[in-house]
Amino acid sequence: MSAVLFKYLSDRSISVNDHGGFIASIEGMRALAVLVVLLFHLDVPWFKGGFLGVDLFFVISGFIITRNIQFDLHAGKFTLREFYLRRFRRLFPALLVTVMATLLVSLAVLTPLEMEKTARSAIFALISLANFNFWLEAGYFDAAAHTKPLLHTWSLSVEEQFYLFWPALLVFLATNGRRVVLVCGLLMASLAVSVLWRNAFADAVFYLLPFRVHQLMAGALLALLSLLWCV
C-alpha cells in the first residue's frame, strides 16, 4: 500500500502546462502499471505476471523524462540545476511522507528484526540506493516480500540513479541524431547483458540500473522519434 501512497502524493505536483503538455493516456498507463504490480503482490488470480508493470513503468519514465528535457532544450530554458530541483520537489516530499508513514505502521505489525531491516531500507530509500540494499539482501535466506513494506522503493532508486547521467548526456550530445545513436547503443548493450546474465546474476539483473537501462532507453527512443516526426 505504501507504493500507492507514494504514487498519489508524487502525482499531486504534476502541472498540465509542464513541458510538452499533459498526456492523459501516459498517466493512465502509469496508473495501470502500478495497479497490476499491486494486484500481483496481493496474489490476485490472473495477475501472476503483474511484475511486468515495473518494466512498463521504466519505459514510460524514459519517455517522459526524455520528452521533457527535449522540450526544454528546444525552448532554450533547460538547466541541470532546474531539472534536479524539479525532480527533488516532485519526488522527495512524497517519498519522505511515504517512508515515515510506513515506519509508523511497521512499528505495530512487524517483529523487531523485521523493523530493523525496514528502518535500514528507509535510509537507503531516502538516499536513492534502495535497489542496492534489496539486491544485497537477496538470496536463499532472504525474507518474504510482505515483510519488506518499502520494497517498491527499489524502482524509484533506479530512476533517480538514471537522472544522474541522462540529462547531462542529452545536453552533451547537441544533435538529435547523436542522441538517437546513443539511445540505440545503450538499449542494445543493456538488453544483451540482461539476457546473457539473467540466470547467473538474476538478482543483479532485476535490481540494478545497468540491466534496466534498455527499458528506459526504449521510452527515450520513442520520445526522440516522436519529436523528430513532429518537426
Side-chain angles (χ1 to χ4, degrees):
M1 297 306 291
S2 57
V4 177
L5 174 61
F6 174 79
K7 177 70 170 65
Y8 173 81
L9 291 172
S10 62
D11 280 357
R12 296 311 90 200
S13 60
I14 295 176
S15 168
V16 296
N17 296 316
D18 281 348
H19 313 292
F22 180 82
I23 305 178
S25 58
I26 293 294
E27 291 307 307
M29 291 172 63
R30 293 173 72 182
L32 177 62
V34 172
L35 179 61
V36 296
V37 172
L38 177 62
L39 294 175
F40 167 74
H41 284 298
L42 292 175
D43 293 325
V44 176
W46 307 107
F47 284 93
K48 298 301 182 183
F51 56 87
L52 294 175
V54 177
D55 304 329
L56 174 60
F57 194 85
F58 284 136
V59 174
I60 294 171
S61 293
F63 175 86
I64 292 175
I65 291 299
T66 304
R67 179 177 180 270
N68 290 350
I69 293 174
Q70 285 286 96
F71 266 103
D72 284 350
L73 285 171
H74 290 163
K77 62 179 183 179
F78 178 82
T79 66
L80 290 173
R81 178 180 179 275
E82 181 59 28
F83 173 83
Y84 290 120
L85 283 175
R86 191 162 54 229
R87 290 290 91 196
F88 180 85
R89 287 195 296 265
R90 176 175 178 183
L91 297 176
F92 190 79
L95 176 62
L96 182 61
V97 172
T98 301
V99 167
M100 297 306 296
T102 300
L103 290 175
L104 287 174
V105 175
S106 298
L107 285 171
V109 299
L110 296 181
T111 66
L113 179 59
E114 291 168 348
M115 187 63 215
E116 179 184 345
K117 290 185 176 181
T118 299
R120 185 176 73 170
S121 67
I123 295 172
F124 277 93
L126 292 173
I127 60 174
S128 303
L129 292 174
N131 57 328
F132 281 92
N133 177 55
F134 292 118
W135 167 53
L136 292 173
E137 287 184 352
Y140 184 81
F141 296 103
D142 192 14
H146 69 266
T147 66
K148 297 180 176 183
L150 291 171
L151 180 59
H152 70 281
T153 59
W154 75 266
S155 59
L156 178 63
S157 290
V158 169
E159 276 198 76
E160 291 169 339
Q161 291 156 23
F162 171 65
Y163 298 154
L164 292 178
F165 77 89
W166 188 236
L169 280 177
L170 288 179
V171 172
F172 178 74
L173 298 171
T175 66
N176 287 332
R178 292 176 180 176
R179 291 166 186 160
V180 170
V181 171
L182 173 67
V183 166
C184 291
L186 289 174
L187 191 158
M188 290 185 291
S190 174
L191 180 59
V193 294
S194 297
V195 172
L196 290 173
W197 292 0
R198 68 185 186 279
N199 294 323
F201 304 101
D203 295 326
V205 169
F206 185 84
Y207 283 114
L208 301 185
L209 174 61
F211 306 102
R212 293 287 183 172
V213 162
H214 64 280
Q215 295 166 343
L216 292 155
M217 289 298 99
L221 182 60
L222 290 173
L224 289 171
L225 293 179
S226 65
L227 291 173
L228 286 174
W229 289 332
C230 291
V231 173

